[in-house]
Amino acid sequence: ESKNHLAGTLFIGLLVIACALSAYLIGMHIQFVVEGQTGGFCDLSPGLNCNGVIASEWSTLFGFPLPAYALGFYAALLALTLVRAGADGARDPLARDITVVALLGGVIWSLVLLVVMIAIVGVLCPICLLLDLTGIGALFLASRGAAGGIRGSLSRIGPVLGGLMGASGLITVVSGTAVFLAVVWFTQAQLQQADWEAPVPPEAAYNIVIDYPTRHALPGHESAPAKGDPQAPVVIVEFSDFQCPH
């Protein structure tokens, strides 16, 4: 019993770590959008860094970064464990079975993302790898607390869901949802890639004519910081607002 409680405590700890890693990745996405790059220990080498993955067209789904879905996923499992199953899963075995099956799907999805990073993006995200390992560890501990392991959870969850909508309906819903998400994700990535790789027309195609007035100082701001020849025929004045969020 003490071993089960210890495994359950470790399992909850892994879910908390997964939530923290997901939130950290979301913060890196925001930093990349604002500053154009990320920093820190995540950028280890050209083939092992977060910038390359975050900047790719495969890092979002429905306009939201993929870590946002991971955060919701692991937070939901953490709440289910704390509220229904308990640390050792004995309070509500069905809730533990649901957790095991959900984590199995999450691990399969993580493997798909790993293949995309290796085969298409060509860059590995270290934090993403840590998140994948955390999910695998959580699945291992959760399956130990379920009778019959992963196979036992699948055998018990299948009839429950099948009784709600029928076996054929369950298969149709699950497979249809998976195919829909895969098609949307792939299509969105291709559209973004096509938009990024679209050729930029030469400047002459825009037919832009800029008439710079001859000005050596900005009236009322003669003491403002300046750089260059004060007698230059063209003066560029930059207005800065350090409180602007953009």
Side-chain angles (χ1 to χ4, degrees):
E1 183 177 354
S2 60
K3 290 183 178 180
N4 291 337
H5 184 75
L6 177 60
T9 303
L10 292 176
F11 171 70
I12 292 176
L14 287 179
L15 292 182
V16 172
I17 293 174
C19 291
L21 291 174
S22 301
Y24 182 78
L25 285 172
I26 295 174
M28 296 191 70
H29 271 267
I30 296 175
Q31 181 184 5
F32 184 85
V33 171
V34 175
E35 301 179 7
Q37 63 179 358
T38 61
F41 65 91
C42 192
D43 298 325
L44 302 179
S45 67
L48 194 64
N49 65 85
C50 296
N51 277 332
V53 176
I54 295 176
S56 73
E57 60 273 14
W58 299 91
S59 63
T60 61
L61 180 63
F62 298 118
F64 295 96
L66 291 178
Y69 297 97
L71 178 58
F73 174 75
Y74 286 110
L77 291 183
L78 179 60
L80 179 64
T81 300
L82 294 176
V83 175
R84 297 297 301 274
D88 56 1
R91 188 191 309 163
D92 189 345
L94 179 60
R96 175 50 59 92
D97 289 336
I98 294 175
T99 302
V100 171
V101 174
L103 281 171
L104 178 61
V107 168
I108 294 175
W109 175 251
S110 299
L111 295 178
V112 172
L113 295 181
L114 182 61
V115 171
V116 170
M117 284 192 291
I118 295 175
I120 300 179
V121 180
V123 179
L124 287 176
C125 169
I127 305 298
C128 302
L129 295 179
L130 288 176
L131 185 59
D132 294 343
L133 292 176
T134 303
I136 294 174
L139 174 61
F140 173 76
L141 291 176
S143 62
R144 284 175 56 89
I150 296 177
R151 181 175 299 180
S153 295
L154 288 173
S155 64
R156 288 186 292 271
I157 289 295
V160 172
L161 296 179
L164 294 176
M165 62 182 67
S168 60
L170 175 62
I171 296 175
T172 301
V173 170
V174 173
S175 60
T177 302
V179 171
F180 171 75
L181 291 177
V183 170
V184 170
W185 189 37
F186 181 80
T187 303
Q188 172 187 273
Q190 296 303 310
L191 290 175
Q192 290 184 0
Q193 183 176 8
D195 182 61
W196 291 351
E197 296 178 353
V200 179
E203 294 182 6
Y206 293 106
N207 193 26
I208 298 177
V209 178
I210 302 178
D211 184 15
Y212 292 100
T214 301
R215 181 178 297 170
H216 302 293
L218 186 64
H221 298 275
E222 290 79 3
S223 61
K227 182 179 180 180
D229 185 2
Q231 303 300 324
V234 176
V235 177
I236 299 177
V237 180
E238 177 182 356
F239 296 87
S240 298
D241 182 4
F242 293 106
Q243 294 184 345
C244 179
H246 301 288

